[in-house]
Amino acid sequence: MIQKSIEQLINEQEALIVRPNEVDGNFYNGIYERFTHPVLTRDHVPVCWRYDFDPETNPYGEERLGINAVLNSGAIYMNGRYYLVPRIEGNDRKSFFAVCESDNPVSGFRFWDEPVQLPDTEPDETNVYDMRLTQHEDGYIYGVFCSESKDKNNSDLSAAVAAAGIVRTKDLKTWERLPNLVTLHSPQQRNVVLHPEFVDGKYAFYTRPMDDFIDTGSGSGIGFGLCDDITHPVIDQEKMTSIRRYHQITEAKNGAGAVPIKTDKGWIHIAHGVRNTAAGLRYVLYCFACDLNDPSKVIAEPGGLFVGPRGAERVGDVSNVVFTNGAVVNDNGDVYIYYASSDTRLHVAHTTLDRLEDYVFNGYEDPGRSRDCVTQRVELIRKNKRFIEKA
């Protein structure tokens, strides 16, 4: 039997945390850069969260509370530092949140001493995950996450009910739990994002109306709704923004991702789209933009995927998936998009506000038919001929 000492485990973890993370030179599209290593994995979770160090109660040095995955993370940038609040899934399938920080956006993230202990105000809540962090103009940092409970009206043990849980804080240490969001015309909600500014003096949410836990049913895409009081959050009307479309990446379902990024031209969203395949659901990221003055109005939506799973990213607990619920912009206009792959690990991609804005507002739209897509591509080829001839 190979039994590692506590010192060995801690030293190995330290080497993982301080490992440099270089740009992946094998990938290029001019829009963003990928990086060689994940930002967070299950091996980044502190050793003392997993092992019992007492030789009397753990004589064989076994992992007592194992971690299965570290994935979908909220993200904010404050005072020159980068903060992540990832979803940590234990071996028991229960997820929880924790805060980690670094002065480097692509590596060196260290978890705080203990996980986040949310106020226990929802007695039926079984699981929590996928927190979006919004630095709101009212002065609070809000965390909006999925609050999952057993569906008591269904004998199927996999039947669940999803709601949008809400917490707020000013220091990421003390969390105030607010009531779950109520949407009067949507039975369930997942992937809800709080807009960072007031709209008409009200709190604005991007929603994903669903008829049940898995299927969107009558839900046609990403919704938008207003509520008067976030301490009693009720939305009585949802207006659809980016919608599902046949034979596009949003065909099966789509949902909000990171908190929208404000630019001179509009609010840029990095969302997720889902289509069904013979191998199961495939999740990718895509972009769209909403009007600065009317953030319910989509004004740009380049066709196709923005980020898709590549190489080793395609393998994991739920294969062929990328998902984001966190992106930050630093003081220099650099954009870091934190995305998980296959529900297993967390990666980062880097771009700039200028490049992201160019992609969203100048990218080609999806014309909807193969014939029209070929025409679009032929026009690009012919346009490029004169540049090739000059080269």
Side-chain angles (χ1 to χ4, degrees), residues 148-280:
E148 179 183 327
S149 306
K150 175 70 179 72
D151 188 346
K152 297 179 180 180
N153 298 317
N154 193 326
S155 60
D156 183 351
L157 282 179
S158 65
V161 175
I166 305 173
V167 290
R168 66 183 179 183
T169 180
K170 290 192 175 181
D171 56 10
L172 300 179
K173 296 176 182 178
T174 303
W175 300 82
E176 176 189 2
R177 183 78 185 253
L178 303 178
N180 288 354
L181 179 68
V182 175
T183 49
L184 297 181
H185 300 289
S186 301
Q188 298 200 37
Q189 288 288 349
R190 296 172 82 174
N191 302 306
V192 174
V193 173
L194 175 65
H195 192 70
E197 296 182 0
F198 289 112
V199 176
D200 297 331
K202 300 181 179 182
Y203 290 91
F205 289 88
Y206 295 91
T207 65
R208 210 275 291 283
M210 302 183 69
D211 287 351
D212 66 33
F213 187 71
I214 299 297
D215 296 323
T216 59
S218 59
S220 59
I222 299 173
F224 178 87
L226 302 175
C227 83
D228 295 318
D229 181 2
I230 201 165
T231 64
H232 298 89
V234 177
I235 294 175
D236 59 9
Q237 184 177 0
E238 293 170 84
K239 178 181 178 181
M240 302 316 296
T241 59
S242 178
I243 62 173
R244 296 162 52 201
R245 293 185 176 90
Y246 166 69
H247 211 84
Q248 294 189 15
I249 59 172
T250 58
E251 182 178 80
K253 51 188 174 181
N254 62 332
V259 174
I261 297 170
K262 191 174 187 178
T263 73
D264 292 338
K265 292 185 177 181
W267 292 98
I268 292 180
H269 291 253
I270 305 171
H272 67 271
V274 186
R275 67 180 177 91
N276 213 342
T277 74

Side-chain angles (χ1 to χ4, degrees), residues 349-365:
H350 165 262
T351 186
T352 63
L353 275 178
D354 290 344
R355 281 194 286 164
L356 183 61
E357 189 177 70
D358 181 73
Y359 168 78
V360 172
F361 288 96
N362 297 322
Y364 291 92
E365 294 184 4

Side-chain angles (χ1 to χ4, degrees), residues 380-390:
L380 176 63
I381 293 168
R382 291 176 179 175
K383 175 184 177 181
N384 283 337
K385 278 186 177 179
R386 69 178 185 271
F387 296 97
I388 296 173
E389 291 168 356
K390 291 179 180 179

Side-chain angles (χ1 to χ4, degrees), residues 287-325:
C287 294
F288 65 95
C290 291
D291 186 83
L292 284 174
N293 298 314
D294 181 3
S296 70
K297 179 182 178 183
V298 175
I299 58 174
E301 191 168 331
L305 62 86
F306 177 58
V307 178
R310 295 174 62 93
E313 294 176 354
R314 297 187 63 251
V315 180
D317 264 15
V318 183
S319 296
N320 210 16
V321 167
V322 291
F323 187 93
T324 187
N325 50 296

Side-chain angles (χ1 to χ4, degrees), residues 26-168:
N26 295 317
F27 174 84
Y28 177 80
N29 65 3
I31 307 167
Y32 56 84
E33 292 82 42
R34 277 175 146 96
F35 287 80
T36 304
H37 303 297
V39 172
L40 291 175
T41 69
R42 63 186 180 186
D43 294 323
H44 286 79
V45 177
V47 175
C48 65
W49 294 16
R50 298 181 275 141
Y51 289 86
D52 179 356
F53 291 168
D54 187 341
E56 292 188 5
T57 55
N58 189 19
Y60 298 107
E62 296 179 355
E63 188 180 57
R64 294 302 197 199
L65 292 174
I67 299 296
N68 181 56
V70 177
L71 59 162
N72 309 340
S73 181
I76 57 173
Y77 173 76
M78 294 189 303
N79 303 319
R81 297 188 68 82
Y82 301 83
Y83 296 85
L84 301 178
V85 179
R87 169 185 180 178
I88 303 175
E89 183 184 88
N91 286 350
D92 56 10
R93 280 195 65 199
K94 308 304 184 296
S95 294
F96 58 94
F97 303 117
V99 180
C100 53
E101 67 174 300
S102 176
D103 59 3
N104 186 330
V106 303
S107 65
F109 282 93
R110 296 180 184 275
F111 284 91
W112 289 3
D113 288 346
E114 296 180 353
V116 173
Q117 296 189 59
L118 296 178
D120 190 13
T121 59
E122 299 292 331
D124 292 331
E125 185 178 78
T126 302
N127 202 24
V128 294
Y129 49 90
D130 300 357
M131 182 182 289
R132 279 82 171 173
L133 292 173
T134 298
Q135 292 171 284
H136 199 274
E137 69 169 313
D138 72 358
Y140 280 100
I141 299 168
Y142 288 88
V144 183
F145 57 94
C146 184
S147 168
E148 179 183 327
S149 306
K150 175 70 179 72
D151 188 346
K152 297 179 180 180
N153 298 317
N154 193 326
S155 60
D156 183 351
L157 282 179
S158 65
V161 175
I166 305 173
V167 290
R168 66 183 179 183

